[in-house]
Amino acid sequence: MNKHYYITTPIYYINDVPHIGHAYTTCAADVMARYKRICGYQVFFLTGVDEHGQKAQRTALEQGIQPQELADRMLPRFVDLWKLLSITNTGFIRTTDAAHRKVVQYLFEKIYEKGDIYLGEYEDWYCIPCEGYFTEVQLKEGNCPDCGRSVERLKEESYFFRMSRYGEPLLRYLEQHKTFVMPEVRHNEVASFVKSGLHDLSISRTTFNWGIPVPGNPVHVIYVWFDALVNYLTGAGFLSNMDRFEQFWPPDAHLIGKDILRFHAVYWPSFLMSADLPLPKHVFAHGWWTVEGRKMSKSLGNVVDPFEVANTYGVDEFRFFLFREVPFGLDGDFSRDAIVARINGDLANDYGNLVSRSANMVGKFLAGRLDLPGRSGGTDAALIERTQSLLTEYRKEMDIFGFYKALNSVFELTALVNKYIDTEAPWKLAKEDPARLSTVLYNIWNGVRICTLLLYPFMPSKTASAWKALGINRDIEKAAFDEERVFYHADDLSPIERIAPLFPRREREPTAHVSRIDGS
Ligand code: MSP
C-alpha cells in the first residue's frame, strides 16, 4: 500500500478533565481516519497529552502532589474516553516520554545552530501571585487581567526564536498554498496577522522548572508551546523510527480549535522552516461549542462531560450529532433537545427506519435471500444515477473536512431510497410482479448499503450492525470505498432478517432545563 495519510489532534493539557471540546477534535480526526482507511490509505493517527508547563505545575502544587503524579492520575481520563468513543488512534504521545525530550532538545539545538535562537532579555509586566507575564495591552486598568492585583515591570533572561525572519517566507507560503489553513476565513486571518509583522518569540522560561531543560543551560526550561508542537515530529517517529517518519511526514492535517491557530499556523511552520523540515499540508481550525446558548465554563457549572453524554445517548449518536448539527469550522450550540431531535429525526425516522423496513421486506418477500435483478423499470436508472452523484459530492466534501455537507448528501440519499420504496411499493409487487420485485429489492438493498457505508466513519458500531442486518459477512471497517460505491449483486450473503430498531426513539430530558432567575 503506498497511499499514506497522517492526521493529528492537539495534545491535551492534563490539568483539566476532558470535555466536549476535546471529544470534538478527536472524534473529527477519527471520522477522517476511518474515511481515509476505507479509501485505501494507510493512516497514522496521533493524539496525546501535554504534560509540561506552569499551569500543570501550579495545579499539582495546589493538590499537594508532583506534576508527574498529576499527569499520571489524569492520563486514564483521556485514554478511557478515547476507548469509549471508539477512537482508532495509532499513536499516543506524552510529552514526558524520553523520546520526546530528545526530539525537542535536538530541534532546539538545530535551530540554535542555524542562528535562529539567541539569548536575550525578556521584559514585561509580571504578576507575582499568578506567576505570569502580560503585555501592556493585556492589562486591565493597569492591573493583572487574571487576578486584578498590581503588576511589576520585570526582566528575565530568555532564549528567543527569530520569528521576525520568517514573516516573508510564511507569507509566500500562504500565498502559494491557499488551503494550508482551513477554512478559508482562517487562512485570511493568519495572513493578515503575519502581514502585521512578526516579533521574535521568547521560547524559554526560568521562573519554573516543569519542562524540558534547554540543552547546555538547564536553568531554562523550553517554552511549553515549543515543546508541545514538536510532538507531531516525535509521534511520527522522528529520530526513533525514521522509516515510519519518512513514510508519513509531512502531516496531511493538524486538526485544532480556532483558539490555538496562531501556534499551529505561524509559530510551528516557522520552526519547521528553520529546521529545514517540510511543512504540514493543512491546518484545520474548527469552531467552539457553547452550551444551551452560553459559554461553557467551570464557573457556570455547564461543562459538558463527554462520558455522560455518550453513556446517556449512545457513543455513535454523540459522534454523529457533533458533525450533523454544525458545519465543521463554525461555532455550534450543544443542547440535549438538539441531540434528542437528531436521534429521533435523522437516525430513528430516516436512516434507522430505512434499514429496518428494507431488511424486513427482504426477509418477508424473498425469505431473506436477495435475487438477481429481474425486470428494470423507469425509476431505477434515476435512483442509480443520483446515488452516484451523491457519492461524488460526499467524497468531495469529506476530502476537505466538509463533514456537514457530506452528511447532507447521505440524508438526501436516505430520502431518495425511502421515496423509491414508497413509489415502487414492494408489498404490491410481491403479489403482482415477482420479476420486478427482485429488481426493486436489489436496488433498495444497494441504496441502504451505500448509505451505511457513508455513515460508517461517523457511527462505526451502528453501521456495523446495519451491515450485518444486510447480510454482509465482511467487516465494515475493511470495506473498500471504490468497490462498495457501485450497485452489485452479492451471492455470499447471510439470510437477511427482521431486526430490532437500530436507534430507539428518545424522550426529551425533563430535567435538562432550569429557568434563569430573570425568567428568560
Ligand atoms: N495543549 C494545548 C495544545 C497543544 S497542541 C500542540 C491545548 N490543550 S487544551 O487541552 O487546552 O486543548 C484544547 C483543545 O480543545 C483546543 O483545540 C481547543 O480549541 C478545544 N476546545 C476547548 N474548548 C472548546 C469548546 N468549548 N468547543 C470546542 N473546542 C474547544 O490547547
Side-chain angles (χ1 to χ4, degrees):
M1 199 166 3
N2 52 15
K3 296 202 293 184
H4 291 89
Y5 190 83
Y6 177 23
I7 188 162
T8 69
T9 73
I11 48 171
Y12 304 110
Y13 289 130
I14 45 77
N15 54 308
D16 212 350
V17 292
H19 56 60
I20 188 178
H22 304 107
Y24 191 38
T25 331
T26 308
C27 286
D30 191 65
V31 167
M32 202 60 179
R34 288 177 183 271
Y35 165 71
K36 286 289 173 183
R37 286 191 201 106
I38 61 174
C39 292
Y41 286 81
Q42 194 178 332
V43 174
F44 189 69
F45 169 10
L46 181 70
T47 187
V49 286
D50 191 350
E51 298 171 275
H52 291 134
Q54 193 171 18
K55 256 198 258 168
Q57 184 162 355
R58 199 180 298 142
T59 310
L61 201 73
E62 282 162 13
Q63 298 182 13
I65 54 176
Q66 292 301 314
Q68 185 65 67
E69 198 181 336
L70 173 72
D72 293 346
R73 276 191 201 172
M74 298 300 285
L75 180 71
R77 302 273 198 130
F78 289 92
V79 175
D80 292 350
L81 181 62
W82 306 148
K83 212 181 200 175
L84 174 71
L85 297 179
S86 313
I87 303 302
T88 55
N89 57 299
T90 42
F92 188 95
I93 184 162
R94 299 183 63 168
T95 51
T96 50
D97 291 342
H100 179 64
R101 180 189 180 103
K102 198 170 141 194
V103 177
V104 171
Q105 291 186 328
Y106 172 93
L107 209 77
F108 191 98
E109 278 182 320
K110 178 143 191 212
I111 297 177
Y112 187 87
E113 279 158 22
K114 181 88 179 270
D116 281 342
I117 290 178
Y118 62 92
L119 190 58
E121 260 185 351
Y122 186 83
E123 183 180 351
D124 229 326
W125 296 104
Y126 191 79
C127 171
I128 297 176
C130 293
E131 296 176 61
Y133 278 105
F134 299 96
T135 60
E136 187 83 37
V137 216
Q138 286 174 314
L139 299 181
K140 266 202 192 128
E141 290 156 11
N143 293 323
C144 170
D146 284 351
C147 72
R149 281 179 273 211
S150 60
V151 288
E152 288 176 38
R153 197 75 189 162
L154 271 198
K155 260 192 202 168
E156 129 182 49
E157 192 185 70
S158 171
Y159 286 91
F160 285 84
F161 171 70
R162 288 190 203 279
M163 198 138 75
S164 49
R165 276 191 181 164
Y166 289 90
E168 279 305 312
L170 254 181
L171 265 184
R172 232 174 298 130
Y173 190 81
L174 285 163
E175 264 153 36
Q176 286 162 4
H177 301 82
K178 292 287 188 204
T179 58
F180 172 55
V181 183
M182 297 166 81
E184 197 184 345
V185 47
R186 304 284 171 214
H187 190 91
N188 299 339
E189 212 174 282
V190 170
S192 52
F193 176 75
V194 177
K195 265 185 214 146
S196 72
L198 298 181
H199 302 290
D200 289 353
L201 180 73
S202 160
I203 54 162
S204 77
R205 300 286 185 268
T206 53
T207 46
F208 63 94
N209 60 9
W210 179 234
I212 299 176
V214 167
N217 192 356
V219 179
H220 290 253
V221 292
I222 294 174
Y223 175 44
V224 67
W225 270 101
F226 185 95
D227 169 346
L229 289 161
V230 171
N231 94 83
Y232 302 129
L233 284 168
T234 315
F238 189 63
L239 301 187
S240 64
N241 184 345
M242 286 310 269
D243 283 348
R244 185 171 74 203
F245 182 76
E246 302 286 331
Q247 281 182 327
F248 286 100
W249 195 267
D252 291 274
H254 290 314
L255 292 192
I256 57 165
K258 62 182 183 181
D259 54 317
I260 55 175
L261 180 58
R262 199 170 288 174
F263 300 99
H264 284 82
V266 181
Y267 299 5
W268 179 226
S270 307
F271 299 158
L272 289 170
M273 279 183 189
S274 173
D276 298 317
L277 286 162
L279 307 198
K281 293 184 197 155
H282 307 288
V283 173
F284 190 103
H286 63 67
W288 270 43
W289 288 93
T290 50
V291 180
E292 316 253 352
R294 307 174 86 184
K295 191 172 177 250
M296 186 169 78
S297 83
K298 268 196 210 159
S299 51
L300 287 175
N302 65 350
V303 175
V304 177
D305 172 6
F307 285 98
E308 189 271 326
V309 178
N311 287 326
T312 307
Y313 299 102
V315 169
D316 281 24
E317 288 86 339
F318 176 48
R319 290 173 57 119
F320 171 78
F321 171 81
L322 294 173
F323 304 103
R324 175 69 170 148
E325 188 66 7
V326 184
F328 195 54
L330 300 185
D331 292 339
D333 187 49
F334 176 88
S335 74
R336 288 172 189 268
D337 282 352
I339 191 166
V340 167
R342 287 292 170 194
I343 294 173
N344 291 343
D346 293 334
L347 297 181
N349 275 358
D350 296 346
Y351 171 68
N353 185 38
L354 175 64
V355 176
S356 316
R357 72 197 291 219
S358 309
N360 292 350
M361 285 188 295
V362 179
K364 188 165 166 195
F365 303 132
L366 299 179
R369 298 270 168 209
L370 268 192
D371 271 347
L372 280 169
R375 193 160 57 74
S376 289
T379 48
D380 303 353
L383 173 78
I384 296 170
E385 236 167 69
R386 186 68 190 128
T387 305
Q388 293 310 318
S389 65
L390 286 169
L391 271 164
T392 307
E393 282 170 33
Y394 171 92
R395 194 139 181 189
K396 191 182 111 227
E397 289 299 333
M398 288 297 282
D399 283 334
I400 53 169
F401 300 94
F403 301 137
Y404 183 79
K405 284 193 184 162
L407 285 170
N408 282 345
S409 310
V410 180
F411 283 89
E412 229 182 277
L413 185 57
T414 59
L416 195 71
V417 183
N418 269 320
K419 194 162 160 237
Y420 178 84
I421 297 178
D422 295 341
T423 44
E424 296 304 318
W427 45 94
K428 274 195 204 148
L429 298 174
K431 291 182 208 138
E432 296 161 10
D433 191 349
R436 178 75 192 131
L437 174 72
S438 62
T439 310
V440 166
L441 287 178
Y442 160 90
N443 283 333
I444 294 170
W445 182 85
N446 274 289
V448 180
R449 181 180 52 74
I450 290 171
C451 288
T452 302
L453 175 78
L454 303 189
L455 287 172
Y456 158 74
F458 301 91
M459 296 190 290
S461 134
K462 293 289 182 173
T463 51
S465 307
W467 209 238
K468 269 216 186 98
L470 294 171
I472 306 170
N473 298 310
R474 300 178 305 272
D475 249 349
I476 194 165
E477 283 189 13
K478 302 209 178 87
F481 198 98
D482 286 327
E483 286 167 22
E484 298 291 346
R485 66 173 293 158
V486 292
F487 279 44
Y488 62 67
H489 178 79
D491 46 22
D492 59 348
L493 301 179
S494 297
I496 301 168
E497 286 160 0
R498 173 172 288 275
I499 55 157
L502 280 177
F503 302 96
R505 297 185 129 272
R506 294 266 167 188
E507 294 299 321
R508 275 168 54 163
E509 294 281 311
T511 54
H513 300 286
V514 181
S515 314
R516 298 219 318 250
I517 294 167
D518 60 7
S520 62

